[in-house]
Amino acid sequence: MKVAGRITGEALLVAKELIKEGVTTKQIDDKIRMYIKKCGAKPTFLGYGGFPGSACISINEEVIHGIPSHSRVLKNGDIVKIDVGAQWKGFTGDSAATFAVGEISEEAKKLIKTTEECFFKGIEAIEKAETPRIGDLGFAIASHAHANGFSVVEQYTGHGVGSELHEDPSIPNYGTSGRGVRIYPGMTLAIEPMINEGTKSVKVLKDGWTVVTADGKLSAHYEHSVAVTNNGIILLTKVD
Ligand code: MG
Ligand code: MG
């Protein structure tokens, strides 16, 4: 899990370096695939449920599952979410982040920052709890999003991650403290706040994949695969 996580995190850094006006999402996807293969790993997302890319690349109001395309060109002022996974010796990482293309609005900056903070508030909540549960994580994430005037996507969640990309338990980005599945040392989890500028409602486009906000406002995403240990949480996909 550590090696799969490291390669996943590095692939995300490779993508981050490429982000600028005029680049297509297919170009980013190609570089991600090449990097993962160079590391002796497999892009987990490629062919997963029939997904055609090695990464999900989602722009502005697109929340998750954007399909890399030659016709999607990054523009100044866009925010772009890149979600990637690398599989190594039967184990997989899963990580996502939101990046700015050139100069973005103050509101967009606040949304990206808040979404990252939501992730770390969640981690803090499970490290602090005596008997941590999934609800502690969701409560911490949602509280921070709401305190900043944003909403939390409810139809899609974080998840266990390991030999499969999506394992139990499901990890909603909302919840009640002290409720839900117990979090034990040895678990590996993908924690991934998806935070919207406007409504929490989302819908799927006709391509069958791309999830967008129902009101067309911005969405941000931040994800790491983590390992729960007796000595705290290890961020498996954080390499920077
Ligand atoms: Mg992901
Ligand atoms: Mg995930």
Side-chain angles (χ1 to χ4, degrees), residues 45 83 94-95 157-159 165-166 190-192 221 223:
F45 296 6
D83 191 348
D94 186 9
S95 184
T157 67
H159 48 90
L165 176 62
H166 295 120
I191 298 169
E192 50 180 315
H221 188 198
E223 173 182 32

Side-chain angles (χ1 to χ4, degrees), residues 161-224:
V161 62
S163 51
E164 299 292 332
L165 176 62
H166 295 120
E167 297 183 353
D168 285 339
S170 168
I171 307 176
N173 291 306
Y174 58 93
T176 307
S177 290
R179 302 292 290 271
V181 172
R182 265 289 305 276
I183 297 172
Y184 287 101
M187 281 179 154
T188 47
L189 308 171
I191 298 169
E192 50 180 315
M194 289 163 250
I195 308 299
N196 290 351
E197 180 186 16
T199 179
K200 66 182 180 184
S201 302
V202 297
K203 59 184 183 184
V204 181
L205 295 184
K206 286 202 188 87
D207 64 18
W209 282 105
T210 315
V211 177
V212 298
T213 58
D215 59 6
K217 291 189 175 179
L218 298 176
S219 184
H221 188 198
Y222 188 77
E223 173 182 32
H224 282 297

Side-chain angles (χ1 to χ4, degrees), residues 98-204:
T98 305
F99 304 106
V101 183
E103 207 44 50
I104 62 170
S105 70
E106 287 308 313
E107 180 75 352
K109 282 181 196 167
K110 184 184 168 194
L111 179 66
I112 293 172
K113 183 169 171 277
T114 301
T115 304
E116 293 188 14
E117 287 167 356
C118 283
F119 172 88
F120 290 101
K121 294 278 181 190
I123 297 294
E124 201 181 288
I126 40 179
E127 283 189 325
K128 275 209 292 211
E130 208 157 306
T131 53
R133 292 177 183 274
I134 294 297
D136 298 321
L137 202 48
F139 179 77
I141 290 169
S143 301
H144 190 66
H146 294 154
N148 282 278
F150 298 128
S151 69
V152 172
V153 174
E154 294 180 353
Q155 275 112 311
Y156 298 87
T157 67
H159 48 90
V161 62
S163 51
E164 299 292 332
L165 176 62
H166 295 120
E167 297 183 353
D168 285 339
S170 168
I171 307 176
N173 291 306
Y174 58 93
T176 307
S177 290
R179 302 292 290 271
V181 172
R182 265 289 305 276
I183 297 172
Y184 287 101
M187 281 179 154
T188 47
L189 308 171
I191 298 169
E192 50 180 315
M194 289 163 250
I195 308 299
N196 290 351
E197 180 186 16
T199 179
K200 66 182 180 184
S201 302
V202 297
K203 59 184 183 184
V204 181

Side-chain angles (χ1 to χ4, degrees), residues 49-81:
F51 190 75
S54 295
C56 297
I57 307 182
S58 313
I59 302 171
N60 296 337
E61 78 283 3
E62 297 169 353
V63 180
I64 46 169
H65 302 167
I67 301 172
S69 164
H70 288 297
S71 62
R72 296 305 301 278
V73 183
L74 299 184
K75 299 189 312 291
N76 186 49
D78 284 343
I79 64 169
V80 56
K81 281 131 279 181

